[in-house]
Amino acid sequence: MNAVAVNNIVKTYGSKKETVKALSDISFTVNKGELFGIIGPDGAGKTSLFRILTTLLLADSGTASVDEFDVLKEYKQIRNRVGYMPGKFSLYQDMTVEENLEFFASIFNTSIEANYDLVKDIYVQIEPFKNRRAGKLSGGMKQKLALCCALIHKPSVLFLDEPTTGVDAVSRKEFWEMLKELKKQGITILVSTPYMDEAAMCDRVALMQAGKIMSIDTPGNIISKFNKHLWAVRSEEMYRLLKDLKNYSNTESCNSFGEYHHLVLKNDDRDKEAVLKYLQVQKHMNIEMKPEQPNIEDCFMQLMNNNYDRS
Amino acid sequence: MKETVIKVENLTKKFGDFIATNQVSFEVEKGEIFGFLGANGAGKTTAMRMLCGLSIPSSGSATVAGFDVYRQTEHIKQNIGYMSQKFSLYEDLTVKENIRFYAGIYGLSKQVIKDKMTSLLEQLQMTAEENSLVKSLPLGWKQKLAFSVAILHEPKIVFLDEPTGGVDPVTRREFWNLIYEAAEKGITVFVTTHYMDEAEYCNRVSIMVDGKIEALDTPRNLKTTFNAGSMDEVFLQLARGAKRTAD
């Protein structure tokens, strides 16, 4: 059984004169118990997709279901069984931590006690502040409270819209640890993120750009589809090196990646010596060039370029 | 000859009993790309606000572009540029109107504005969009425009607060190319980011933990010092020791 099924969903915004296509013909399925990532920058269509699946927004065309309930005809059943954490903090700022959690439990006809085991590991971290108003919490604590409130009715599918945006590297790691624990409880989790490195934490991911899914697979398979030989290159002057490599006649693509630039040569050429010779002529010092394993961001950029070529 | 454009000594800001920025000291040179890292709540924003002349320190001293952060805050504001992801341009103004507005705020003459407008629009390849409302532009374009507007008055220093959040990987790199070009022109770049690969693009990086600067060096030296393979590892080692809860 699919936890989520999306078929040919289209969503446009704006008037007749000026329309923006947020989602153009999206189809995919998510298995029960899967931790599924939707990876893409702002404007990819991630939020529109989540709002359609949580029955808060109507698609122009196409069908979608959550736990086999139709988003249109059976929206009430869906609302009862999904948890949704929007990208923008949406709890009641004037209510305390405890009041917010009680409120969300009560509107789902349950109590904190009934499902405490599910939120316990997360809630104990904010429990010392349970009498503080939600609006007065720090960013990290707000995020934990929002996750508790989305979980308190024991949803079968959890939608998390950019939970780690603007969050530092340490808190991001902690958040993904929490998701892994929740997955063990059998909850299906759909999570969106603009951070490409987080793809590795998911069972499967969809790479989204400009309303389209460019690729959908396990992170490992997406990386193995990167079909070119990748080089990592560095020298003393990294910005000049980037410009020189981009101007090199045999360069197909060159992108900076931390302390190295990632280089792909035309026709998948593996001739390292020719590149080194060219860089020496350009008077680069301490040149280092080695084969490199592509990562999800390499794949994302390759897919982006391929899509541009077609249009 | 090296020219110091930011000089900070024991800079401290207290809010009641809470010490947001605790005796911070560092110097930044002209044309340097200086990465200012730290976990949420480490005190980065407070420190940055003091350096921009928006918040008076509790103690310590600092000069920015040669001006004192206690007494010459208006001079500081005239000599810096500022851009953040949260606020950059006016969405309901067109591209042209935004450029004209910011240039006017910084006191550029009509003729200078006219010249700069043309060259800027060409450089960003946005001439065709000059009369479009900013809200209709893709995020990546907005961010590139916002950066260019922030350095239009040729400030000595530009402060960038998480400028690339949520931007696609190609545009993120194009944005960094703009940063490099600004630095080559001699503009000092002071930048915060949560992307650890971007920390590698900085000449030097400082990492704040619980209000203090716990490390400051070139990315390469930091990795050697902390015996780490990447800046991500360096950051995690330092930030995991934080006692303060994230803000």
Side-chain angles (χ1 to χ4, degrees):
Chain A
M1 191 179 98
N2 290 323
V4 173
V6 176
N7 298 302
N8 308 108
I9 287 284
V10 174
K11 177 70 195 175
T12 49
Y13 294 107
S15 57
K16 272 179 189 164
K17 269 187 285 173
E18 236 182 313
T19 57
V20 181
K21 212 163 207 183
L23 295 169
S24 48
D25 205 10
I26 296 277
S27 301
F28 67 95
T29 57
V30 178
N31 303 322
K32 237 185 160 21
E34 208 171 13
L35 176 49
F36 189 89
I38 294 173
I39 318 270
D42 286 9
K46 305 187 296 293
T47 300
S48 296
L49 180 61
F50 274 20
R51 291 181 65 81
I52 288 169
L53 290 173
T54 49
T55 77
L56 299 171
L57 185 70
L58 296 176
D60 298 352
S61 60
T63 59
S65 65
V66 177
D67 279 347
E68 315 233 303
F69 292 107
D70 184 80
V71 290
L72 215 58
K73 296 189 204 89
E74 296 163 305
Y75 71 94
K76 281 187 181 165
Q77 284 93 325
I78 292 179
R79 287 181 187 183
N80 271 322
R81 55 197 303 129
V82 303
Y84 173 47
M85 181 172 152
K88 190 170 169 257
F89 183 70
S90 304
L91 301 182
Y92 292 93
Q93 313 250 5
D94 289 342
M95 298 198 323
T96 67
V97 167
E98 198 175 24
E99 284 167 348
N100 264 292
L101 194 59
E102 264 167 11
F103 174 77
F104 281 94
S106 67
I107 54 172
F108 285 105
N109 283 318
T110 182
S111 63
I112 298 180
E113 294 74 32
N115 292 316
Y116 189 67
D117 56 320
L118 196 61
V119 298
K120 185 177 158 248
D121 290 343
I122 308 161
Y123 191 64
V124 289
Q125 300 174 49
I126 48 173
E127 211 167 10
F129 312 98
K130 65 179 182 184
N131 294 322
R132 193 180 287 189
R133 287 184 188 193
K136 298 279 180 202
L137 291 176
S138 70
M141 289 197 284
K142 275 182 184 162
Q143 187 195 39
K144 283 173 185 148
L145 176 60
L147 185 58
C148 286
C149 290
L151 277 170
I152 198 61
H153 60 297
K154 202 167 192 189
S156 66
V157 185
L158 184 61
F159 293 90
L160 306 172
D161 196 5
E162 296 204 23
T164 55
T165 292
V167 173
D168 68 70
V170 176
S171 310
R172 278 168 55 196
K173 280 223 160 62
E174 285 174 4
F175 195 82
W176 279 96
E177 294 301 323
M178 288 191 274
L179 294 191
K180 286 207 161 148
E181 287 303 311
L182 289 175
K183 184 183 138 67
K184 284 183 194 157
Q185 318 244 18
I187 300 175
T188 307
I189 305 172
L190 275 80
V191 56
S192 71
T193 177
Y195 294 102
M196 307 276 150
D197 57 340
E198 292 181 350
M201 318 294 274
C202 303
D203 297 324
R204 281 194 307 144
V205 294
L207 302 186
M208 270 190 96
Q209 165 75 5
K212 288 178 188 157
I213 292 179
M214 302 191 295
S215 184
I216 182 164
D217 213 326
T218 63
N221 283 345
I222 285 181
I223 285 169
S224 66
K225 281 183 206 156
F226 191 90
N227 52 8
K228 297 278 172 64
H229 195 73
L230 189 68
W231 294 101
V233 193
R234 63 174 296 160
S235 80
E236 290 289 308
E237 295 166 81
M238 290 300 280
Y239 183 48
R240 189 163 72 84
L241 179 68
L242 182 68
K243 286 192 282 189
D244 287 343
L245 284 173
K246 284 196 167 169
N247 288 331
Y248 180 51
S249 56
N250 200 25
T251 293
E252 179 169 296
S253 72
C254 184
N255 295 300
S256 37
F257 256 93
E259 60 178 330
Y260 290 92
H261 297 319
H262 284 186
L263 175 71
V264 174
L265 296 172
K266 279 182 188 154
N267 307 317
D268 209 17
D269 190 347
R270 300 188 183 194
D271 186 2
K272 178 178 167 181
E273 293 310 314
V275 180
L276 288 177
K277 213 169 167 182
Y278 164 76
L279 292 178
Q280 273 151 12
V281 171
Q282 304 293 325
K283 296 198 168 53
H284 279 279
M285 306 289 283
N286 292 330
I287 306 162
E288 189 190 337
M289 181 166 175
K290 60 176 189 184
E292 179 72 307
Q293 287 298 318
N295 59 35
I296 290 281
E297 201 159 350
D298 287 303
C299 300
F300 197 97
M301 286 195 282
Q302 189 182 51
L303 289 162
M304 270 179 82
N305 286 335
N306 292 350
N307 283 5
Y308 282 139
D309 289 348
R310 261 181 247 137
S311 61
Chain B
M1 202 188 79
K2 283 177 180 174
E3 186 189 330
T4 305
V5 291
I6 301 177
K7 194 174 166 67
V8 178
E9 265 177 279
N10 298 323
L11 195 66
T12 300
K13 179 81 187 186
K14 292 182 189 167
F15 297 103
D17 292 338
F18 182 72
I19 309 174
T21 306
N22 193 353
Q23 305 221 344
V24 165
S25 301
F26 61 90
E27 289 183 1
V28 184
E29 280 156 24
K30 184 175 193 287
E32 194 172 18
I33 302 175
F34 189 83
F36 199 59
L37 273 52
N40 302 106
K44 296 191 303 282
T45 305
T46 305
M48 223 159 146
R49 284 177 56 83
M50 288 190 279
L51 296 180
C52 292
L54 298 171
S55 169
I56 299 295
S58 305
S59 61
S61 66
T63 57
V64 175
F67 298 107
D68 184 78
V69 293
Y70 289 90
R71 288 173 291 109
Q72 296 172 299
T73 53
E74 285 312 309
H75 288 97
I76 289 177
K77 288 173 199 165
Q78 285 160 24
N79 281 278
I80 63 169
Y82 176 83
M83 177 207 155
S84 82
Q85 201 215 339
K86 289 179 193 101
F87 176 78
S88 43
L89 300 166
Y90 288 94
E91 300 263 300
D92 290 328
L93 295 181
T94 67
V95 170
K96 248 174 132 169
E97 286 165 345
N98 264 288
I99 296 173
R100 203 162 61 223
F101 176 75
Y102 278 96
I105 289 261
Y106 283 109
L108 300 186
S109 70
K110 274 190 180 158
Q111 188 54 47
V112 173
I113 294 175
K114 209 175 150 197
D115 296 344
K116 288 205 177 238
M117 178 89 74
T118 315
S119 63
L120 179 61
L121 289 171
E122 275 170 17
Q123 191 201 339
L124 292 173
Q125 298 174 358
M126 282 174 64
T127 309
E129 323 288 333
E130 62 179 21
N131 292 319
S132 305
L133 291 183
V134 159
K135 68 177 170 196
S136 72
L137 299 178
L139 176 74
W141 290 31
K142 272 187 219 172
Q143 297 306 84
K144 283 192 274 185
L145 178 62
F147 177 74
S148 305
V149 167
I151 59 169
L152 202 63
H153 59 297
E154 294 170 13
K156 293 199 173 68
I157 304 150
V158 62
F159 289 88
L160 307 173
D161 195 2
E162 288 179 39
T164 55
V167 173
D168 74 68
V170 172
T171 311
R172 198 151 74 80
R173 285 169 176 79
E174 287 170 2
F175 192 91
W176 270 90
N177 290 345
L178 292 177
I179 292 181
Y180 280 124
E181 271 160 33
E184 280 190 348
K185 277 190 234 157
I187 297 178
T188 305
V189 180
F190 191 98
V191 58
T192 73
T193 179
H194 285 313
Y195 290 99
M196 287 303 133
D197 59 327
E198 294 185 349
E200 304 268 5
Y201 307 152
C202 302
N203 299 116
R204 286 190 306 147
V205 170
S206 72
I207 300 177
M208 269 187 98
V209 181
D210 290 347
K212 292 186 174 167
I213 290 186
E214 290 294 336
L216 199 177
D217 213 327
T218 63
R220 195 184 291 189
N221 287 347
L222 284 174
K223 281 181 282 182
T224 313
T225 309
F226 290 89
N227 195 17
S230 65
M231 280 304 293
D232 196 34
E233 281 178 42
V234 174
F235 185 82
L236 289 176
Q237 275 189 40
L238 282 168
R240 277 227 163 102
K243 304 238 166 18
R244 270 189 208 168
T245 28
D247 112 319

